[in-house]
Amino acid sequence: MLTPMIVGLIGLGLSGKTTVFNAVTRGDAEVGSFQSQKDAFHRGRVLVPDARVDFLTEMSESANVVYAEVEYFDVAGFSGEKDSASESDIPQVLRESDALAHVVRAFANDSVAHPKGSINIRRDIEALDEELVFTDLILVERRLDRVEKQAKVVKDDKVRHEAEILKKVKDILEQNTPLRAVTLPPEEEKLIRGFRFLSEKPMLIIINIGEDQIDKIDAIKAEFADLKGKPNLDLAVICGKIEMELAQLPDDDRQSFMADMGLKESALDVVIRKSYSLLGLISFLTTGDKETRAWTIKRGSTAQSAAGAIHADFERGFIRAEIVAYEDMKRCGSYPEVKKHGLMRLEGKTYIVQDGDVVVFRFNV
């Protein structure tokens, strides 16, 4: 995946979405700025922290280092009212996202009233999901109407087939079921891919708690553990306010404050790790004196396919891949030691690349 993974941050108004955006991007976007700019969005690109890349860079004394990247978009809050949903109101950046992160308000603040009048996490999750489903339904109905009219005029099997699949999708959405919760045959999934349905995208639920709830993180995770059992859905619990403050500190100070607060991972680490998992992504690594780099690919990719992430010529002229498991490389500390202990493997086109594999591709074009 040569382009960064894109995650769209969504949520009801006043959920702390922009605060979470600042926390994961170390940004300084103005909180509450969307109240008067409904079509605006914040954009931030961050490097994916990876201790494996750090080690290999030092080991190889690389002149350059390239981490994987993630791009975040923070858009105006949703209403949570499906009857007011409009497909035209959806920012295009959300359609282009690989995954969505729904920031749900759990913190209390008397000076910032919840748009629905009270804190209710499950209600807000369901309300936004209903709005996404309804927005997709509008899109399907519009397209289906055109396709059915076309089918009456033109006797085309492709048009008729598309109408059948759209009717199937319409039936699913009318049951108030997000498309991420169903598995369609590959052929049907491919046909609807171009619509970029919002309810089809993997979803990370981010429960945004207050400072006084830090000691309740485990209890909150347990309360909503059932969400993690749903298809293409995962859960994270963070305190956006504290995380935004921590994000502005130097690394050493940040680690010290996290330890004092009892936080094991930063918001950035949590969101990236869970987003990668939801999307089925892994990283393989290349290293040398010129450059150490993390390459993001789909889990289950073959060695030949992974080679194409670097360059099409690598895939087209693939001969073999020299593979070293990262843990073996770390333990040995150098390529000569790896070879000495017989830990480098030669793999062919069909080898399934594993997360953390250190790879050298041999090719000829």
Side-chain angles (χ1 to χ4, degrees):
M1 182 176 292
L2 299 179
T3 57
M5 174 174 66
I6 300 175
V7 178
L9 287 174
I10 61 175
L12 302 186
L14 306 176
S15 61
K17 220 170 13 63
T18 301
T19 299
V20 172
F21 171 82
N22 285 335
V24 298
T25 63
R26 297 190 183 182
D28 57 358
E30 182 182 355
V31 176
S33 60
F34 290 133
Q35 297 305 303
S36 59
Q37 302 179 59
K38 295 297 184 181
D39 59 344
F41 59 84
H42 300 132
R43 179 179 188 171
R45 184 176 288 199
V46 298
L47 303 180
V48 177
D50 194 330
R52 301 170 303 184
V53 172
D54 297 335
F55 172 81
L56 292 174
T57 300
E58 183 175 349
M59 181 195 80
S60 300
E61 298 182 354
S62 303
N64 189 40
V65 56
V66 182
Y67 295 89
E69 295 184 341
V70 180
E71 194 164 24
Y72 293 95
F73 286 97
D74 170 32
V75 303
F78 282 59
S79 68
E81 302 291 341
K82 69 176 184 179
D83 292 339
S84 65
S86 170
E87 194 277 327
S88 62
D89 289 340
I90 300 299
Q92 184 61 26
V93 293
L94 284 188
R95 295 283 181 203
E96 296 169 356
S97 298
D98 299 303
L100 299 177
H102 176 191
V103 179
V104 187
R105 178 172 172 176
F107 64 88
N109 187 334
D110 293 338
S111 64
V112 182
H114 190 291
K116 288 187 173 292
S118 63
I119 304 297
N120 187 319
I121 295 171
R122 286 194 186 274
R123 177 202 62 202
D124 292 352
I125 292 172
E126 292 171 2
L128 192 136
D129 243 3
E130 288 179 0
E131 191 169 351
L132 296 182
V133 166
F134 192 70
T135 300
D136 286 347
L137 183 58
I138 294 172
L139 186 59
V140 169
E141 289 177 336
R142 186 181 302 157
R143 175 59 182 172
L144 183 58
D145 182 59
R146 288 200 295 267
V147 171
E148 287 180 331
K149 288 179 180 177
Q150 186 179 0
K152 292 177 181 177
V153 177
V154 181
K155 301 302 181 183
D156 188 320
D157 288 341
K158 289 184 177 179
V159 173
R160 194 158 48 247
H161 184 54
E162 180 181 356
E164 291 172 357
I165 295 175
L166 288 175
K167 285 178 183 177
K168 180 177 179 179
V169 171
K170 180 173 178 285
D171 288 342
I172 294 169
L173 294 171
E174 285 181 335
Q175 297 171 35
N176 205 26
T177 301
L179 294 176
R180 81 178 87 89
V182 299
T183 301
L184 296 173
E187 178 193 358
E188 295 180 7
E189 191 279 329
K190 182 178 180 181
L191 188 144
I192 69 170
R193 193 179 301 158
F195 292 99
R196 296 177 175 176
F197 292 122
L198 295 181
S199 73
E200 185 185 21
K201 297 180 184 297
M203 176 80 79
L204 175 62
I205 302 294
I206 301 177
I207 298 179
N208 187 16
I209 63 174
E211 296 178 65
D212 59 339
Q213 297 169 290
I214 292 291
D215 61 346
K216 299 182 178 68
I217 286 180
D218 289 340
I220 294 171
K221 287 180 180 178
E223 182 181 353
F224 295 94
D226 60 294
L227 296 176
K228 299 183 68 173
K230 296 183 178 182
N232 299 306
L233 197 70
D234 204 349
L235 175 73
V237 181
I238 68 173
C239 177
K241 184 175 184 296
I242 288 178
E243 292 284 358
M244 184 174 71
E245 294 170 356
L246 288 173
Q248 307 305 318
L249 296 175
D251 287 344
D252 290 344
D253 291 345
R254 183 166 60 255
Q255 293 300 323
S256 177
F257 274 89
M258 285 177 60
D260 290 343
M261 297 295 297
L263 299 172
K264 299 176 183 178
E265 289 184 283
S266 70
L268 172 60
D269 292 338
V270 171
V271 172
I272 287 178
R273 175 170 56 81
K274 289 182 175 288
S275 298
Y276 262 60
S277 177
L278 274 173
L279 289 166
L281 300 178
I282 63 170
S283 294
F284 73 86
L285 312 165
T286 56
T287 189
D289 58 355
K290 292 183 179 179
E291 179 182 273
T292 291
R293 183 166 185 157
W295 303 87
T296 304
I297 58 172
K298 279 284 189 181
R299 186 179 298 278
S301 296
T302 63
Q304 185 174 23
S305 174
I310 298 177
H311 197 282
D313 286 349
F314 281 40
E315 182 173 10
R316 186 168 65 253
F318 182 94
I319 298 174
R320 66 178 182 272
E322 298 173 359
I323 307 289
V324 181
Y326 170 74
E327 290 301 328
D328 289 337
M329 183 68 84
K330 183 178 180 182
R331 186 168 58 254
C332 293
S334 68
Y335 266 114
E337 283 297 307
V338 162
K339 294 177 181 178
K340 177 181 175 181
H341 289 85
L343 296 173
M344 176 182 287
R345 311 187 313 276
L346 299 181
E347 300 287 358
K349 296 179 179 180
T350 60
Y351 168 72
I352 302 301
V353 177
Q354 303 299 306
D355 187 42
D357 275 350
V358 185
V359 186
V360 174
F361 291 109
R362 301 299 180 187
F363 69 102
N364 182 36
V365 289

